[in-house]
Amino acid sequence: MDSSNWQNFLASVGARLEAGEACDFGDAQAELKAAAADTVLAPLTQFGVIRATGEDAASFLHNLFSNDVQHLGRERAERCGFCSPKGRLLADFLIWREGQDYLLQLSSDIQPGMLKKLGMYVLRSKVKLSDANSDIVLLGIAGTGAAAALKALGAGIPSSQYDVLRFDAGTAIRLDEHRIQLAVHANAAVPVWNKLASLASPVGTPAWRWLEIAAGGPHITLATQEEFVPQMANLELIGGVSFTKGCYPGQEIVARTKYLGKVKRRTYRASVQSDCPQPGTDLFSPDLADQSCGKVIEAAPSPSGGCELLASMLMSSAEAGDVRVGSADGPRLSFLALPYPLD
């Protein structure tokens, strides 16, 4: 099933699609409330997948990415980043294995560019990179009924974060306590969806993005490429950086930031009583006058009204507590807790 056929199916079951993303299934506000309190099912159309095949796939990826791909087990997934030589994130990935292959999940708007960029490094390596969007359909299920829904598929329940379990139709990956992602073989996507949709409420991308923001897991998109070293996006705090694996593009800068104690920016979770700002929107605080103190990484409507977001900013500005969106007199952020400490 190619992506257009999958989107045609989603439209047939009520999805409202814009620019390839499932925006909602008819009632966006009700879907947000369901994401906060019930069991929900989301088509993860905001992501794309790259497949790496070949005997050198592990070493090839290991030498490019910020985490230890060489020792990634078959029953585990991991997060990692791909940096420019200046240590700035070009992409973040969720990586897991399928047979001898490695699957790399990233934001869909940068997937074609990253496929081309990574291909420039192949040279004589015995590895082939390909677009896996026609092979794999990504679904997310969250809430207290997620485990029961997976059992109805005949799938096991991954017990710990980033554990991977395989079942007849694909792969289940535990993202956190409340969310599980499925990477389903394309020819099984429709029956899997139909089974899960009888047990969970379908929701669009904004509801799933709100859950991701609550989990503190930011994603690099076209608007934020080359804006952040990994620590600015909290990537090492969510397990996405190894400081012992050896060299990769930008590694010296990433390591220097850690060992010289130069982390001056972090990613914070916050709410704002306004429409959701676009990724890359500048933030301002009185301590820097008209100079930006940070940028929005991603944002989503909140079930309680307004918007929640993840934003990378100067720690000093966050600690001062008066950070504005878009301009010095823009809407003020109210800071919210992350599920992990910022240290």
Side-chain angles (χ1 to χ4, degrees), residues 58-294:
S59 58
F60 172 79
L61 298 172
H62 184 84
N63 291 335
L64 289 178
F65 293 167
S66 64
N67 215 343
D68 186 345
V69 181
Q70 193 82 56
H71 296 97
L72 179 62
R74 295 181 184 278
E75 310 308 319
R76 292 286 294 168
E78 70 180 15
R79 294 199 180 276
C80 65
F82 175 45
C83 297
S84 71
K86 295 182 178 180
R88 300 277 170 154
L89 285 166
L90 295 166
D92 72 285
F93 298 95
L94 179 68
I95 300 183
W96 67 96
R97 298 176 66 175
E98 183 183 84
Q100 299 300 312
D101 297 350
Y102 290 78
L103 295 175
L104 322 177
Q105 176 181 317
L106 69 165
S107 295
S108 60
D109 64 341
I110 60 173
Q111 189 252 22
M114 285 299 99
L115 179 58
K116 183 177 180 180
K117 180 80 171 177
L118 292 171
M120 295 169 61
Y121 289 87
V122 170
L123 301 176
R124 296 179 182 175
S125 297
K126 295 178 181 178
V127 59
K128 178 183 178 182
L129 302 172
S130 60
D131 183 336
N133 288 340
S134 60
D135 305 331
I136 301 291
V137 170
L138 301 173
L139 304 175
I141 188 161
T144 56
L150 288 185
K151 286 181 181 177
L153 289 178
I157 312 302
S159 57
S160 300
Q161 187 176 38
Y162 301 135
D163 276 358
V164 172
L165 287 178
R166 287 165 183 83
F167 62 106
D168 288 345
T171 299
I173 304 168
R174 180 170 285 281
L175 300 179
D176 54 41
E177 182 182 355
H178 306 290
R179 296 180 302 133
I180 296 171
Q181 175 181 299
L182 303 181
V184 178
H185 305 313
N187 59 5
V190 169
V192 166
W193 174 273
N194 288 336
K195 172 66 75 173
L196 292 175
S198 69
L199 301 167
S201 301
V203 299
T205 299
W208 189 264
R209 186 169 286 132
W210 174 76
L211 289 168
E212 293 224 300
I213 289 168
H219 296 291
I220 301 301
T221 59
L222 194 60
T224 55
Q225 282 185 305
E226 297 194 73
E227 292 289 348
F228 317 113
V229 292
Q231 290 95 327
M232 293 180 189
N234 298 355
L235 191 62
E236 91 284 19
L237 301 181
I238 58 174
V241 179
S242 167
F243 292 101
T244 60
K245 56 153 285 188
C247 293
Y248 55 89
Q251 180 265 339
E252 289 185 4
I253 292 167
V254 177
R256 190 181 308 135
T257 301
K258 172 181 172 63
Y259 293 116
L260 297 182
K262 292 186 176 180
V263 179
K264 296 182 179 180
R265 295 174 183 256
R266 282 295 193 188
T267 290
Y268 295 82
R269 176 182 169 223
S271 65
V272 63
Q273 294 305 309
S274 70
D275 293 337
C276 287
Q278 292 297 310
T281 298
D282 283 310
L283 304 174
F284 296 87
S285 62
D287 55 320
L288 288 181
D290 294 329
Q291 183 180 347
S292 171
C293 69

Side-chain angles (χ1 to χ4, degrees), residues 16 39 136 217 281 308:
R16 182 173 64 87
T39 303
I136 301 291
T281 298
E308 290 187 23

